[in-house]
Amino acid sequence: MSAGTPRQSEDDGDRTDENPVNNASKGRLLLLAGLWSALVTICLAGGVVAGLALQKPVSKGAPKQAGPRQSLEELLPTADLSTAQALMAARRALRLDNNPGLALRFFQQATAEMAQRPHEVIFEIAVCFELLGQSRDSLAQYHLLAEHADNPEIRVASTLGVARCHAALHDDNAAVSLLQELLLDPTLSAYPWAQADVAYQLAQTLSGPLISVPPERLIEDSIAAPALVRLTPNSLLRDLTPEALEVDQLPQVAAPSRPTPPPATESHPPAGVEVLFQISPTAAETQLSVSVGSAPALPVLESFLDAAGLRGVWSNDARAAMVGRMTKAETSNMSLAMLLDTLLSPHGVTWTEEPGSKVVRFILFSELDPATRLAIAHGSARRAALHATRAFPEHPDLPGALVATGNLLFAEQEYVSAGAQYEMVLRRHGQTEHATRAWFNLGKTHLLAGRSEAAMSSFYRVVDGMRGGELRAIAALYVGRLHLEQEQLVQAKRILSRARSMSQLSNVRAMSALLLSAAYLRDGNPNAANTALMEQRRDLERHARDFAALLSAMSQFQTATNDDAKSTRGRTLVMTLSHVRPNQFFGRYGAVIIGEAYAELGLYQEMSGAYEVALASGLTGATAQRMSLALARVQRAQGKLEDARAMLMEVAAGESAANDPSKMEALIGMAELEFQQRHNASCLSMCRELLAMSLDEATKHRVLRMMGQTYSRTGDFDRAALCFSGLTPNLEEAQQP
């Protein structure tokens, strides 16, 4: 959830919202520009904003003589009509038309002859630069305001802008350090909106590097879709309504402005720490209220630990890093864990807690191994998100923060907890744009847990929704994969064709073509399988060349009409098999394709190895049952009768219907094993059970033939003759001794 924004030219046009990470600041900044609190009714006497381009050009002469910097309220009553119209047009373009490029040009026209621009205008220009992705230009403007603006509210908003620009420029350390300093800054108490924004922005900046991925990687099962982040306006900054922009006459005097909150005082209440509540003696479950003026950091941290009933143990390097450091903090409700993160991180120090020991150990971050660093980074990001969502539950960015928390859990392979987080988003915010990503990620948690039907249902919610963009195509790809694994070929072909046509990503189109080709091969249509590959050959050449060659060779082998063609194409098929591995395919069906290719060539030992890999990957459903039956036949041929029986019993005991073809085949296979081992009584018993079921004619004759052979073996030639003639022996008589 980086606070970055995509680059865009200053020309008119829409900006993509596909990347939630890089578009983080759009929603808030379009309205954050409402910091012009006093600008009210301005007339466009003698014209309208749309005709502003026809006004006389800006003079190229020297700028006016510099004087004291005026505020916007002081400037407007004395400004000429052209300047007033340009300012008004700029605000309209930025606020109402969502066009920062046009707004920036109007601002530049309005301020061309100003010796000193009002800080409000500089802020609006910084907003335009940021929305256009010109982060360095925006950073320079925000820096100026953060240090020199007279209005403390502008200083706070600009400091937040500085942090966003640092994140957009991939300087996450600078952004995090600034936000952590702001989080405990006593001066923010005058601006509740800023406290909330800092908390959410910190959570986004910490989690962004851990869970942000390009869309191309969303076809990986272990990658969750990033949360949508829409920074929205705070409660104190107003946006001009259309009515305020369409008035009839210029005001004779400036309208009174909204009172500016007084600057926060530098005096602090006496140092103090209070335990609000403590579920257990741990840093994560101890909530504190803290008010500390500028004081040495080490004693302050020790006082926090003492209040929580904990003891700190410092490494020599960690203590040396904190010696001489000063700190100040004020918060009415924050966990001790979050306080430690905020105060220690800027100095390169981190902490760990031994469960049940009441001991907190402090160590330099650089002293830890990479795996431990990653775990600590995840923990810090989760605590920041938890603090933001608990402390400010009415903030508009709440749904995105909840999805991001689920993504952090997902990245840590805590799929049950991640799924619960996504379900909470769907219950509370199911009608928002965040629901699409929650459904998609919930589908992945079901998939990784082996719940194929639940996963398919979740992915279908994304496909059938109106939002999601590229995510809909990727969800359709997952649905097609699951249909194929369940041998639901008609549904698989339909949804995979849809995924291929919907996607703008070449790797998604390539994988859709691969699965579609595999579905056609399984359905006995090799020509259509080869056509699906040819239609997407450029994408396949780039992303799945080896598997595409294998599927093409299989389709060519199946269409061979004579022995010479079979021999030639068989050699090609063997060659392509030597270049592929199951993990190169999208999903678990790759091993199935490899096994089927070996079966086409009569290489049943190699087929068995491929099928065993597929079953070990967790593949279930009709495809898994078909592979198990094939493995049982090979094991039976190799004399591994007990292994074959175990495989068949597993298929027969499956959750499918009693008349399911795979289950029926498994029961017949078990009866054939009994016949092969000369267990005549059990073989006849199983045959009778099969004949009592609803069988097609071919299967019925197969059972009767085996039954007749068994009767012949026992000397009961009358019943054997009935079986061989296609008649079922009297079952009641058959039960007599």
Side-chain angles (χ1 to χ4, degrees):
M1 292 185 296
S2 171
T5 54
R7 294 195 62 84
Q8 175 182 325
S9 70
E10 294 184 5
D11 295 332
D12 298 356
D14 297 332
R15 295 183 305 280
T16 178
D17 287 333
E18 284 302 318
N19 193 331
V21 176
N22 292 334
N23 285 300
S25 59
K26 286 184 180 176
R28 184 183 306 275
L29 289 177
L30 288 178
L31 298 180
L32 191 61
L35 202 54
W36 286 5
S37 58
L39 184 58
V40 288
T41 58
I42 296 180
C43 172
L44 306 178
V48 293
V49 172
L52 183 59
L54 301 179
Q55 297 290 333
K56 65 179 182 179
V58 177
S59 171
K60 301 293 184 179
K64 296 179 181 179
Q65 189 69 25
R69 185 186 300 274
Q70 292 180 301
S71 68
L72 193 62
E73 294 90 335
E74 296 169 335
L75 171 68
L76 284 174
T78 60
D80 58 47
L81 179 61
S82 176
T83 299
Q85 288 178 330
L87 290 172
M88 208 62 188
R91 303 197 75 210
R92 174 186 291 277
L94 180 61
R95 314 282 188 87
L96 302 183
D97 299 335
N98 193 18
N99 193 332
L102 181 61
L104 184 59
R105 288 199 293 273
F106 281 136
F107 277 128
Q108 290 171 340
Q109 177 180 341
T111 60
E113 295 186 353
M114 290 185 187
Q116 291 184 320
R117 298 172 298 175
H119 288 153
E120 297 95 330
V121 174
I122 298 175
F123 183 84
E124 299 260 3
I125 291 174
V127 169
C128 292
F129 279 131
E130 185 176 358
L131 289 176
L132 291 169
Q134 300 177 24
S135 299
R136 295 191 186 279
D137 294 328
S138 181
L139 180 61
Q141 304 297 324
Y142 282 138
H143 262 308
L144 172 68
L145 295 172
E147 295 177 2
H148 302 295
D150 299 325
N151 187 321
E153 199 168 16
I154 291 182
R155 290 201 303 271
V156 170
S158 299
T159 305
L160 281 168
V162 169
R164 285 194 305 275
C165 290
H166 278 309
L169 294 169
H170 307 291
D171 189 357
D172 293 315
N173 290 334
V176 169
S177 296
L178 182 56
L179 291 167
Q180 287 176 330
E181 181 181 350
L182 282 173
L183 188 66
L184 299 178
D185 191 338
T187 62
L188 258 66
S189 59
Y191 311 107
W193 65 265
Q195 293 177 318
D197 284 3
V198 168
Y200 277 90
Q201 193 169 323
L202 176 61
Q204 293 153 12
T205 308
L206 286 172
S207 61
L210 302 174
I211 59 177
S212 297
V213 294
E216 293 80 2
R217 293 196 59 194
L218 292 181
I219 65 172
E220 299 176 32
D221 293 352
S222 60
I223 300 295
L228 279 173
V229 179
R230 295 285 189 260
L231 295 178
T232 49
N234 57 70
S235 59
L236 293 183
L237 301 183
R238 302 184 306 174
D239 180 51
L240 284 185
T241 63
E243 292 77 11
L245 295 174
E246 298 172 359
V247 293
D248 297 327
Q249 58 185 357
L250 284 169
Q252 298 303 311
V253 294
S257 64
R258 175 171 53 86
T260 299
T265 177
E266 290 299 323
S267 63
H268 302 286
V273 55
E274 177 186 355
V275 177
L276 299 177
F277 64 87
Q278 186 176 53
I279 300 175
S280 66
T282 62
E285 297 185 337
T286 301
Q287 293 293 124
L288 300 179
S289 172
V290 170
S291 179
V292 179
S294 183
L298 278 173
V300 168
L301 291 168
E302 292 293 349
S303 69
F304 294 167
L305 296 175
D306 290 342
L310 302 173
R311 180 170 61 90
V313 177
W314 295 77
S315 73
N316 292 334
D317 291 337
R319 181 177 291 276
M322 297 303 296
V323 169
R325 302 289 185 178
M326 303 295 288
T327 189
K328 58 182 179 180
E330 184 169 320
T331 177
S332 60
N333 191 346
M334 185 179 291
S335 71
L336 175 57
M338 185 67 184
L339 276 167
L340 294 177
D341 289 340
T342 306
L343 294 174
L344 295 171
S345 176
H347 309 298
V349 180
T350 188
W351 61 279
T352 59
E353 196 168 16
E354 300 174 5
S357 67
K358 297 186 179 182
V359 172
V360 177
R361 297 190 178 276
F362 299 93
I363 189 171
L364 286 183
F365 197 73
S366 58
E367 297 181 64
L368 302 172
D369 60 85
T372 305
R373 292 183 194 178
L374 181 62
I376 288 177
H378 273 270
S380 297
R382 273 205 280 163
R383 285 189 289 271
L386 184 63
H387 169 71
T389 55
R390 285 183 176 178
F392 309 101
E394 302 301 322
H395 197 277
D397 292 336
L398 174 67
L402 293 175
V403 173
T405 302
N407 289 358
L408 289 167
L409 293 166
F410 189 97
E412 296 165 22
Q413 300 183 6
E414 297 183 18
Y415 300 123
V416 174
S417 299
Q421 190 78 9
Y422 299 137
E423 289 172 347
M424 180 173 65
V425 173
L426 293 170
R427 287 194 305 270
R428 298 181 181 180
H429 310 282
Q431 302 304 314
T432 68
E433 58 187 348
H434 303 277
T436 299
R437 291 170 187 273
W439 278 120
F440 183 87
N441 294 341
L442 181 61
K444 286 200 171 185
T445 63
H446 288 315
L447 182 69
L448 292 168
R451 298 187 291 269
S452 298
E453 292 299 326
M456 190 182 300
S457 176
S458 296
F459 288 132
Y460 260 125
R461 296 294 293 265
V462 180
V463 175
D464 296 335
M466 298 302 294
R467 299 184 175 112
E470 189 62 44
L471 211 58
R472 295 177 63 208
I474 300 174
L477 176 63
Y478 269 99
V479 170
R481 162 184 157 181
L482 291 169
H483 277 310
L484 181 59
E485 291 176 358
Q486 297 296 323
E487 302 274 308
Q488 298 165 349
L489 301 179
V490 174
Q491 298 94 318
K493 288 183 288 186
R494 182 186 304 120
I495 195 69
L496 288 169
S497 297
R498 186 177 174 185
R500 184 178 59 175
S501 62
M502 289 169 59
S503 181
Q504 300 297 317
L505 297 175
S506 59
N507 65 332
V508 174
R509 294 194 301 267
M511 295 306 152
S512 299
L514 277 187
L515 289 174
L516 185 60
S517 177
Y520 278 122
L521 278 176
R522 178 63 193 144
D523 202 28
N525 192 342
N527 289 324
N530 201 50
T531 299
L533 296 173
M534 292 300 294
E535 290 175 347
Q536 226 60 50
R537 58 186 179 276
R538 290 186 178 179
D539 294 329
L540 290 166
E541 180 75 19
R542 178 180 175 187
H543 296 287
R545 178 178 180 178
D546 292 339
F547 250 105
L550 173 61
L551 289 168
S552 179
M554 289 178 67
S555 64
Q556 294 294 329
F557 183 82
Q558 290 181 8
T559 56
T561 56
N562 55 64
D563 291 342
D564 289 341
K566 283 264 184 196
S567 177
T568 301
R569 296 176 185 181
R571 287 194 294 270
T572 302
L573 183 55
V574 170
M575 183 178 66
T576 58
L577 277 168
S578 66
H579 289 86
V580 297
R581 299 291 181 273
N583 58 4
Q584 296 173 338
F585 194 77
F586 175 62
R588 297 169 290 196
Y589 206 78
V592 180
I593 295 172
I594 293 173
E596 290 176 344
Y598 281 124
E600 293 275 2
L601 297 167
L603 302 173
Y604 297 110
Q605 186 65 37
E606 289 79 3
M607 178 205 76
S608 298
Y611 281 174
E612 287 170 356
V613 170
L615 291 172
S617 70
L619 190 65
T620 60
T623 300
Q625 292 177 335
R626 178 167 57 84
M627 289 190 299
S628 296
L629 293 173
L631 285 172
R633 286 192 291 270
V634 173
Q635 291 166 343
R636 178 181 167 190
Q638 294 174 341
K640 301 176 181 178
L641 302 184
E642 293 306 317
D643 291 341
R645 179 179 285 106
M647 191 75 70
L648 292 170
M649 290 179 65
E650 183 177 348
V651 176
E655 298 180 356
S656 55
N659 61 346
D660 179 81
S662 295
K663 180 172 287 190
M664 196 70 65
E665 184 66 26
L667 293 172
I668 294 174
M670 292 169 63
E672 290 174 343
L673 279 176
E674 297 300 312
F675 176 81
Q676 184 175 348
Q677 294 181 292
R678 293 183 172 273
H679 298 159
N680 298 326
S682 59
C683 177
L684 289 171
S685 175
M686 296 182 72
C687 287
R688 294 185 196 109
E689 292 177 3
L690 285 166
L691 290 172
M693 299 178 183
S694 177
L695 303 177
D696 59 58
E697 284 301 315
T699 304
K700 182 178 180 180
H701 282 294
R702 179 181 171 188
V703 174
L704 284 172
R705 187 171 183 276
M706 179 170 51
M707 199 173 185
Q709 290 174 331
T710 306
Y711 278 129
S712 296
R713 184 186 288 169
T714 61
D716 193 341
F717 299 110
D718 292 337
R719 290 196 179 95
L722 288 173
C723 292
F724 289 137
S725 63
L727 300 176
T728 303
N730 188 301
L731 296 182
E732 293 182 359
E733 293 180 2
Q735 292 173 356
Q736 297 176 3

